[in-house]
Amino acid sequence: MAIIDEILSLKEQRRAAILAHNYQLPEVQDIADLTGDSLELARAAARLDCDVLVFCGVDFMAETAAILSPDKTVVLPAKGAWCPMAHMISPQELRDLKALYPEAAVVCYVNSTAEIKAESDICCTSANGVEVAASLSEKEVIFVPDRNLAAYVARHTDKKVIPWNGYCYVHDQFTAAEVDAARARHPLAEVLVHPECRPEVIDRADFVYSTSGMGRHAQSSPAGEFVIGTETGMIHRLKKDSPGKEFYPLSRNAVCQNMKKTNLSLVLQALQTLEPRVSVPEETAIRARRSIERMLAV
Ligand code: 13P
Ligand code: SF4
């Protein structure tokens, strides 16, 4: 296909790498150098030897890449691809919360703005939230912005967790009744859900994983069928990595609109123009980098 050849040849000329989140459209996942969850993509952004990172995902992911790799040009092909949850808390709101709990450590989910990361002690992703919180010496932990991941961390550590009331509209919409109905339809399937789901949904699942964690589980499990409680883009990745196994979305409505804004034409345009570019002011980046690097060291 001509557009794929153009992307691949321009990628070489630019010394670029294409990173894609597991929720991206199938054709975008298929041309990426690496498809992964937030943790894997952050690690790759820090490690890759290239001049340009084309980040097929949403704003906070590209910002994290720019913070970790200030010498690389980071482009987010779809302008306006942002994560609503990341914008549910402002820096002032976090400062006010910190003033109420001066003894607490601040953990921010990576789905947050660079300014929130700069105000936090440490970052976490859905893959390592429990380990990150458990690694802290403080007994109290302010956890922002996702109330559901905060509840999950609270249940799996001995920390007193002070949550912020943010949520992901894609995961927060799953219901316990949907899990029961999926089990009735697919009695042999294992139910895997993301920790951004509500506690009552998590309680009915067999396993809770980050997106890539779901992939690893499906590959190693003896089960042949899985109900997947996350964004539906994940199904493409799962089928590709585990051919011969069956994957059913917990809900076909679980679609992150902003993750679907990136397409091959926009990837090509981004490589041609090196726009829209993502950068973080140095004074914010220095403080945010500390939180992210502290997480990467856990
Ligand atoms: P993962 O890090 O598990 O891929 O999750 C990212 C995300 O945005 C989930 O909604
Ligand atoms: Fe944000 Fe939810 Fe979309 Fe993930 S799925 S990017 S948390 S809105």
Side-chain angles (χ1 to χ4, degrees):
M1 201 174 144
I3 190 162
I4 294 179
D5 293 340
E6 266 189 89
I7 289 172
L8 297 180
S9 113
L10 201 50
K11 192 181 77 159
E12 292 303 312
Q13 283 174 40
R14 294 277 197 207
R15 272 191 30 90
I18 302 177
L19 301 182
H21 187 263
N22 290 323
Y23 297 158
Q24 289 288 295
L25 292 172
E27 59 272 29
V28 174
Q29 292 193 31
D30 292 346
I31 48 112
D33 295 289
L34 178 84
T35 305
D37 66 9
S38 309
L39 185 60
E40 291 169 333
L41 296 175
R43 288 213 166 105
R47 169 194 83 219
L48 283 174
D49 175 26
C50 60
D51 297 331
V52 177
L53 282 174
V54 179
F55 211 111
C56 304
V58 289
D59 57 352
F60 74 83
M61 297 178 175
E63 268 188 2
T64 303
I67 291 165
L68 289 172
S69 298
D71 49 337
K72 291 176 191 143
T73 300
V74 178
V75 283
L76 180 70
K79 205 175 163 63
W82 60 293
C83 167
M85 172 163 63
H87 298 268
M88 285 182 180
I89 184 166
S90 70
Q92 189 54 50
E93 286 171 321
L94 180 51
R95 284 193 287 272
D96 291 347
L97 192 58
K98 281 161 68 168
L100 285 177
Y101 298 95
E103 305 293 316
V106 181
V107 179
C108 72
Y109 188 25
V110 72
N111 297 38
S112 55
T113 61
E115 291 80 7
I116 291 298
K117 292 182 176 77
E119 288 286 341
S120 301
D121 295 308
I122 189 165
C123 235
C124 76
T125 73
S126 63
N128 62 13
V130 171
E131 289 94 320
V132 163
S135 75
L136 301 169
S137 55
E138 291 87 346
K139 290 264 169 285
E140 285 188 336
V141 168
I142 292 172
F143 193 102
V144 299
D146 186 12
R147 64 185 181 210
N148 292 331
L149 186 58
Y152 184 73
V153 167
R155 291 165 86 185
H156 290 86
T157 62
D158 58 2
K159 304 293 177 188
K160 179 184 172 207
V161 175
I162 299 128
W164 187 253
N165 195 21
Y167 61 92
C168 161
Y169 76 97
V170 179
H171 291 85
D172 198 63
Q173 70 180 338
F174 292 127
T175 63
E178 279 175 327
V179 180
D180 295 344
R183 279 202 192 277
R185 279 196 306 277
H186 308 290
L188 299 179
E190 287 182 343
V191 177
L192 314 184
V193 303
H194 196 274
E196 287 175 17
C197 295
R198 291 176 176 224
E200 65 268 26
V201 169
I202 287 180
D203 282 345
R204 281 176 157 74
D206 295 311
F207 299 96
V208 183
Y209 286 116
S210 77
T211 56
S212 289
M214 289 180 184
R216 286 187 288 273
H217 176 91
Q219 281 179 304
S220 63
S221 167
E225 295 177 45
F226 303 86
V227 170
I228 300 300
T230 193
E231 211 273 349
T232 55
M234 190 61 211
I235 304 281
H236 175 71
R237 173 77 200 269
L238 291 166
K239 283 187 173 161
K240 202 166 153 182
D241 289 354
S242 299
K245 297 201 175 189
E246 293 295 332
F247 298 95
Y248 314 108
L250 179 53
S251 162
R252 291 192 187 282
N253 299 328
V255 178
C256 176
Q257 297 300 338
N258 286 348
M259 279 282 183
K260 306 302 183 211
K261 284 184 174 163
T262 310
N263 57 36
L264 292 183
S265 311
L266 291 176
V267 171
L268 179 59
Q269 243 177 61
L271 279 164
Q272 286 165 339
T273 60
L274 297 184
E275 297 288 346
R277 203 169 292 200
V278 176
S279 62
V280 176
E282 189 52 15
E283 65 188 54
T284 307
I286 290 171
R287 294 166 60 222
R289 195 175 299 128
R290 265 203 317 256
S291 301
I292 303 168
E293 283 178 347
R294 200 172 160 200
M295 163 187 85
L296 294 176
V298 167

